[in-house]
């Protein structure tokens, strides 16, 4: 998506550790018009998939996932991090995710009240790197007996390989911008054609 690529080139910051910082328009301050255009683009790619739910992971995926869910007129559901408290009597699907930014492994949970067999789910996230967050969410969809109708990502870092492995496994992944190379020394970013 040209508009997103241009914005990444203008305002994105390449940090050490393969991190692209997009805090000025996506992850901290949010450009709502851009988000709305991105969601429409995602809707157009998956509008024929009979989607019943949009699923993301806390916290930075929530804004884009909510906007996408609005286009489909379906609920937006987000997996919560580290919130297992059996005393609360929650009936939960649980999965483990290795954090890209911290390297630690954490639990994500979704209430069984909100995801069930028969659901057709679009998984949405802000970034795709090694694919661990997506694999955690896919695992939760499978536990529910629901179906992954597609995966939509704002920014994929293609050279980290998570997206291409999942595509080889048969998942349909649409990324609005795919970074093929980025250099923390020069700040240069190159996108996949
Ligand atoms: P993965 O699990 O695919 O390795 O990483 C995806 C998750 O890590 C996303 O949910 C996102 O929160 C975070 N992430 C991965 N790479 C980046 C990045 O370059 N910038 C930011 N801001 N977050 C990232």
């Amino acid at each position: 998506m040209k508009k997103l690529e241009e914005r990444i080139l203008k305002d994105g910051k390449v940090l050490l550790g393969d991190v692209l910082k997009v805090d000025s328009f996506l992850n901290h301050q949010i450009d709502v018009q851009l988000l709305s255009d991105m969601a429409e683009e995602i809707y157009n790619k998956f509008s024929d998939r009979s989607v019943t739910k949009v699923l993301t992971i806390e916290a930075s995926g929530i804004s884009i996932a909510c906007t996408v869910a609005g286009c489909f007129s379906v609920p937006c559901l987000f997996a919560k991090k580290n919130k297992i408290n059996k005393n609360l009597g929650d009936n939960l699907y649980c999965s483990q995710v290795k954090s890209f930014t911290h390297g630690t492994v954490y639990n994500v949970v979704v209430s069984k009240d909100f995801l069930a067999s028969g659901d057709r789910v679009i998984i949405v996230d802000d970034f795709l790197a090694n694919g661990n967050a997506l694999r955690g969410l896919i695992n939760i969809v499978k536990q529910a007996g629901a179906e992954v109708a597609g995966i939509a990502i704002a920014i994929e870092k293609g050279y980290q390989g998570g997206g291409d492995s999942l595509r080889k496994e048969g998942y349909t992944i649409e990324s609005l911008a795919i970074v093929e190379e980025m250099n923390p020394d020069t700040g240069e970013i190159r996108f996949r054609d």
Side-chain angles (χ1 to χ4, degrees):
M1 183 186 177
K2 197 98 207 119
K3 192 170 171 184
L4 176 60
E5 289 184 356
E6 285 169 1
R7 190 61 178 272
I8 293 168
L9 291 178
K10 180 170 169 277
D11 291 328
K13 299 207 178 349
V14 182
L15 306 185
L16 287 171
D18 280 316
V19 173
L20 178 62
K21 194 170 180 185
V22 290
D23 276 18
S24 64
F25 61 95
L26 192 62
N27 282 156
H28 189 23
Q29 173 172 262
I30 293 168
D31 181 333
V32 177
Q33 186 54 58
L34 175 64
L35 212 68
S36 163
D37 294 345
M38 289 162 62
E40 200 182 311
E41 187 98 0
I42 291 169
Y43 174 75
N44 289 336
K45 289 177 193 293
F46 291 108
S47 59
D48 60 348
R49 299 231 170 174
S50 309
V51 173
T52 63
K53 209 147 277 191
V54 173
L55 175 67
T56 190
I57 187 164
E58 194 175 49
S60 54
I62 295 176
S63 56
I64 173 83
C66 275
T67 317
V68 172
C71 296
F72 282 97
S73 301
V74 300
C76 174
L77 180 63
F78 62 91
K80 294 185 171 194
K81 290 179 180 171
N82 296 320
K83 298 274 169 56
I84 299 181
N85 184 345
K86 292 205 171 94
N87 297 331
L88 292 178
D90 287 340
N91 205 3
L92 303 167
Y93 303 116
C94 178
S95 185
Q96 291 200 319
V97 173
K98 183 172 182 198
S99 163
F100 177 83
T101 33
H102 302 105
T104 49
V105 175
Y106 59 90
N107 293 310
V108 288
V109 298
V110 164
S111 167
K112 291 186 179 176
D113 291 343
F114 305 129
L115 196 60
S117 66
D119 270 319
R120 292 184 50 79
V121 181
I122 294 276
I123 299 176
V124 174
D125 206 359
D126 58 342
F127 273 93
L128 166 55
N130 299 314
N132 294 317
L134 281 184
R135 286 186 189 280
L137 294 174
I138 289 168
N139 182 268
I140 281 176
V141 173
K142 283 187 176 160
Q143 286 178 47
E147 215 174 307
V148 178
I151 297 171
I153 301 292
I155 305 171
E156 174 177 347
K157 288 176 291 173
Y159 64 92
Q160 291 181 306
D164 289 335
S165 312
L166 285 161
R167 287 183 182 97
K168 279 196 196 117
E169 291 170 36
Y171 293 101
T172 304
I173 305 181
E174 295 285 356
S175 296
L176 299 180
I178 303 184
V179 174
E180 214 45 281
E181 210 179 336
M182 56 185 205
N183 185 330
D185 298 325
T186 60
E188 244 172 291
I189 297 169
R190 186 173 64 77
F191 295 104
R192 189 178 285 185
D193 295 326

